[in-house]
Amino acid sequence: MHDIAWIRDHPEAFDVACAKRGLEAMSSRLLDLDKSVRGFKTTSQELQQRRNELSKAIGQAKSKGEDAAETIAEVGTIKEQITALEEGESAASTELNDLLAGIPNMVDDLVPEGADEDDNVEDRRWGEAPSFDFEPKDHADIGTGLGLMDFDLAAELSGARFVVLTGALARMEKALALFMLDIHTQEFGYTEVSSPLLVRPEVAYSTGNLPKFAEDLFQTTDGRYLIPTAEMTLTNFVRESITEEETLPRRLTAFTPCFRSEAGSAGRDTKGMIRQHQFWKVELVSITTPEQSADEHQHMTRCAETILQRLGLAYRVMVLATGDIGFSAQRTYDLEVWLPGQGLYREISSCSNCGDFQARRMRARCRPKGEKKTRFVHTLNGSGLAVGRALVAVLENYQNADGSVTVPEVLRPYMNGLERIEAKN
């Protein structure tokens, strides 16, 4: 959410920020509405003061036995005017807030300008892509060949963009998540959380998912929403509260299913597990002071990178361009893992610094020790990692010519020592 007072003082800078997002100049329209809201409020206050004066005069006239009919009539007229002004103020305020709620966060000055993902900038790479003496398969062919991945059964149960995993692949999915949680909690200072999968609309609004992206969410009949990521719940832990700054940064992680309608992805990644309506993810969320957030962004990204490094998966780090960055983000790093079955890098984690954008929407503040004045916290979120895509990467990078898959050493303790997944008999 944007601060209308800041826009009032910096209209040109705000329009430049909108232009970077590919939006038309918005300041004039916003400030016209803001002027209307303040005008309605000022006139209403003036009339209320006049009404109070007249009410006092009526009381004095009655105490003296004087006729106050004319003054009483004027008070009635003023009451009607105040009601009309309050309705006007409410309508203008609602329109202003709705407009502000639909405008994305201003991007950081370091974000490269560009129209879409083709303009993202590679920051660094890690690892070497594996070489094979056979034609590598993609994960869908590997999983179905093992007899442990079934898209047809999932389609019968739920429709397209679902999967059923059994046996060792179901176990590996869980093993990956447990491995990630152990690293993040034991080495990087995150607290593991088990949180709800259904949230109220105001919670979805706070993270920027509503109102603009309602079609991307699954809504229940009672008006709640299935979470598209645990970011939605974890970030809202500080909603409408004041956090003492000496307790920050606060780092939270959760392993949850995620639900997305994929409304805008028709025809994209229709095969396999890359883009599904339901998937598992280990989410990372940090609540920080404004001074901490840039360093915390680097820390969070390195945490996600560590998982890929321990799994021995080659990846690259991309800085997202203005045309590809998410609605609530100021700056984002995408981690893209190498998938030999597809012969390209695919996103497996997205780590974003949202600044105070979400904090303004959920009224989350922090307070320096010994001070009364508060300020908005900064919020950050990232995948640490998307578990389904991590499974995809392991299958494609650790596949063998006979169709089996070698289990990465770091996962074997989570899989009862299993070293190789072979075709189901």
Side-chain angles (χ1 to χ4, degrees):
M1 193 70 151
H2 296 283
D3 181 6
I4 189 64
W6 188 91
I7 298 172
R8 206 180 295 144
D9 294 336
H10 307 88
E12 293 181 359
F14 185 76
D15 286 341
V16 168
C18 287
K20 288 184 177 181
R21 284 283 197 167
L23 302 174
E24 62 182 17
M26 300 288 291
S27 66
S28 179
R29 186 178 177 189
L30 292 168
L31 293 178
D32 283 346
L33 284 168
D34 175 55
K35 185 177 180 180
S36 294
V37 171
R38 290 186 293 131
F40 282 128
K41 186 175 294 185
T42 298
T43 304
S44 179
Q45 290 172 344
E46 290 172 349
L47 285 174
Q48 185 60 54
Q49 184 177 351
R50 172 62 178 166
R51 182 184 177 187
N52 292 339
E53 292 171 352
L54 290 174
S55 295
K56 185 177 180 181
I58 290 170
Q60 293 174 343
K62 286 184 176 181
S63 67
K64 297 177 181 178
E66 297 174 353
D67 183 13
E70 187 175 332
T71 307
I72 292 173
E74 185 178 352
V75 168
T77 300
I78 290 176
K79 182 180 179 180
E80 293 174 358
Q81 291 174 332
I82 290 175
T83 298
L85 288 166
E86 288 175 344
E87 291 174 353
E89 180 189 345
S90 178
S93 182
T94 297
E95 185 177 355
L96 174 60
N97 289 332
D98 286 348
L99 272 177
L100 287 171
I103 300 173
N105 199 357
M106 291 187 289
V107 297
D108 189 279
D109 290 338
L110 296 175
V111 173
E113 293 193 34
D116 52 35
E117 61 185 14
D118 292 334
D119 295 309
N120 295 342
V121 176
E122 183 176 321
D123 185 73
R124 57 186 179 272
R125 292 192 182 199
W126 185 93
E128 296 291 333
S131 59
F132 300 92
D133 56 7
F134 60 92
E135 185 68 26
K137 300 177 181 179
D138 72 14
H139 67 282
D141 291 335
I142 296 168
T144 54
L146 291 169
L148 304 175
M149 183 181 291
D150 196 327
F151 295 100
D152 292 334
L153 175 58
E156 292 178 10
L157 297 172
S158 305
R161 296 188 188 272
F162 291 90
V163 67
V164 171
L165 302 177
T166 56
L169 289 192
R171 181 70 183 184
M172 180 176 278
E173 184 178 53
K174 187 183 297 180
L176 282 161
L178 293 174
F179 166 67
M180 294 175 196
L181 289 171
D182 281 351
I183 298 299
H184 295 316
T185 58
Q186 296 174 19
E187 298 186 24
F188 297 133
Y190 287 86
T191 298
E192 185 177 350
V193 173
S194 176
S195 59
L197 305 179
L198 284 169
V199 298
R200 299 171 184 264
E202 56 266 32
V203 171
Y205 173 87
S206 293
T207 49
N209 296 87
L210 289 180
K212 191 173 180 65
F213 302 102
E215 67 173 4
D216 294 326
L217 305 177
F218 286 111
Q219 188 175 20
T220 62
T221 55
D222 65 357
R224 289 179 289 185
Y225 293 88
L226 285 165
I227 63 168
T229 165
E231 170 205 347
M232 191 177 281
T233 49
L234 301 185
T235 305
N236 273 275
F237 277 18
V238 293
R239 182 172 173 265
E240 296 183 345
S241 66
I242 298 174
T243 304
E244 300 301 328
E245 288 190 7
E246 64 265 27
T247 67
L248 301 177
R250 185 178 181 185
R251 296 169 178 156
L252 305 170
T253 185
F255 169 50
T256 69
C258 303
F259 305 90
R260 298 183 185 178
S261 72
E262 297 293 348
S265 64
R268 296 177 59 193
D269 299 310
T270 55
K271 179 185 178 182
M273 292 178 59
I274 291 294
R275 195 178 300 276
Q276 297 197 301
H277 292 310
Q278 175 186 315
F279 58 95
W280 294 88
K281 186 151 70 85
V282 171
E283 184 72 1
L284 305 175
V285 163
S286 293
I287 312 297
T288 76
T289 65
E291 294 80 11
Q292 295 168 328
S293 67
D295 288 341
E296 188 68 14
H297 193 198
Q298 299 297 325
H299 175 270
M300 178 178 286
T301 306
R302 294 293 186 186
C303 291
E305 287 184 74
T306 297
I307 302 299
L308 291 171
Q309 292 172 8
R310 302 275 177 92
L311 289 169
L313 298 172
Y315 67 89
R316 64 182 184 180
V317 181
M318 306 294 290
V319 182
L320 296 198
T322 53
D324 194 37
I325 196 169
F327 180 82
S328 296
Q330 281 186 344
R331 193 177 190 208
T332 297
Y333 293 109
D334 267 10
L335 306 188
E336 297 181 347
V337 67
W338 175 253
L339 299 181
Q342 299 183 39
L344 45 73
Y345 287 96
R346 294 301 302 264
E347 178 199 338
I348 195 169
S349 173
S350 188
C351 298
S352 298
N353 185 352
C354 298
D356 65 4
F357 184 78
Q358 292 177 325
R360 288 182 180 278
R361 295 173 80 98
M362 61 183 176
R363 297 179 294 279
R365 298 176 177 271
C366 58
R367 177 170 50 208
K369 187 175 182 179
E371 296 186 18
K372 293 183 178 180
K373 188 176 181 180
T374 62
R375 53 186 179 156
F376 289 107
V377 298
H378 278 200
T379 61
L380 302 93
N381 64 80
S383 308
L385 305 162
V387 176
R389 294 194 179 191
L391 177 63
V392 166
V394 168
L395 292 179
E396 294 196 14
N397 282 274
Y398 284 88
Q399 63 181 297
N400 301 306
D402 63 0
S404 66
V405 175
T406 300
V407 178
E409 287 189 18
V410 293
L411 294 183
R412 294 175 188 176
Y414 300 90
M415 298 190 66
N416 299 319
L418 184 67
E419 296 182 4
R420 183 183 291 251
I421 301 175
E422 299 178 323
K424 182 181 178 182
N425 295 325

